[in-house]
Amino acid sequence: ITKESDGIVQCFDFASSYPFAMCVGKFPSEKFVSRDDCTPEYICEHSNEYAYMFKFIAYKIELKDKLSPMPALQFSKCVEKINAIVDNGRILQSEYVEIYLTELDLLVISEMYKWEKAICVEVEVSVKDYLPRWFTDYVFECFKDKTQSKGGDPVEYSIRKAKVNSLYGLTVQKNIRDNWVQDFITMEYSIAECDAETEYNKFVNNQNSVLVYQIGVWVTSIAFYNLFQLGKCCETWIYSDTDSCYGINWNMEKIKAYNDSCKEKLRNNGY
């Protein structure tokens, strides 16, 4: 990529965003405990040591830079909104919003938006730590197998790619599933009533239940945060998906610095 490419849309992406998040990220590692309502600034200040989940409530919120091409606040995820101005599913400004977030989501939103008043309620907090070694070692092994088979047997590569992609899916399985029954007289289907606590205890006590749901929640939050760090490396962010960013006028020094920081995070956890 040279100076002659200025003005051309180019793409950079993570080799494997979710496996990377699982290998380098720190996750809720203890039982969540409730705490009092607090400010967004408090949560951001303690986001390195603690994982938070909470409802973020903001009054008169708007982008700091009105020309920002990729606003982080998603309209569809807000549980309440009043007079929101929306572009392509993203909130540019709103009189009032309520949305459930993690501390990493809030870090991104706090950097892009300003508000007149805001508070975090229904706050739950847990100490952060790396995922269990037996799991991250397996994630890294699957990623390595997929990468080394690229360019070889296409069937083997597809299988290994599906395997590494499935590791995230295993973290977000429904722990209480609907039990559908059929009335053989009317031939209609309906959901059978069940005791949620009993069904949940079955899930917890099942020897195959080794990955808790909050891992998957924080994987997506880490990937979301990482994507916005990548997006800062270009002058104009045009489009993005889960693990790639299309933009104009990329700063190659910033790209290298960010890539080096990602590799350093891997080394810090022994990969």
Side-chain angles (χ1 to χ4, degrees), residues 127-188:
V127 174
K128 274 184 173 179
D129 203 352
Y130 291 118
L131 292 176
R133 195 74 194 181
W134 60 263
F135 182 58
T136 55
D137 281 351
Y138 185 64
V139 171
F140 193 77
E141 178 186 344
C142 289
F143 171 72
K144 180 184 69 175
D145 289 346
K146 181 204 79 167
T147 305
Q148 291 178 341
S149 64
K150 194 169 186 177
D153 182 354
V155 175
E156 181 180 22
Y157 175 73
S158 295
I159 292 172
R160 290 184 173 183
K161 183 177 180 180
K163 187 175 182 180
V164 71
N165 289 344
S166 72
L167 297 175
Y168 163 73
L170 290 172
T171 68
V172 286
Q173 299 293 303
K174 288 186 70 174
N175 42 43
I176 303 177
R177 302 190 181 193
D178 294 335
N179 181 23
W180 288 86
V181 295
Q182 183 178 19
D183 184 324
F184 289 106
I185 296 176
T186 64
M187 303 307 289
E188 293 180 346

Side-chain angles (χ1 to χ4, degrees), residues 10-25 108 143 146-147 150 157 161 164-165 219-233 237 239-246 250 254-266:
Q10 296 164 329
C11 175
F12 286 86
D13 68 351
F14 291 89
S16 210
S17 180
Y18 283 7
F20 173 71
M22 289 186 272
C23 284
V24 308
V108 175
F143 171 72
K146 181 204 79 167
T147 305
K150 194 169 186 177
Y157 175 73
K161 183 177 180 180
V164 71
N165 289 344
V219 165
T220 57
S221 282
I222 294 168
F224 175 79
Y225 178 83
N226 289 341
L227 184 66
F228 276 82
Q229 307 319 300
L230 176 61
K232 292 178 184 178
C233 299
W237 187 341
Y239 170 80
S240 64
D241 59 20
T242 305
D243 59 3
S244 62
C245 180
Y246 294 77
W250 287 87
K254 286 185 177 181
I255 285 283
K256 184 181 184 305
Y258 182 57
N259 195 43
D260 288 344
S261 72
C262 290
K263 290 189 285 187
E264 184 62 23
K265 287 180 180 179
L266 281 163

Side-chain angles (χ1 to χ4, degrees), residues 13 87 124 199 232:
D13 68 351
D87 178 48
E124 301 282 337
E199 293 301 313
K232 292 178 184 178

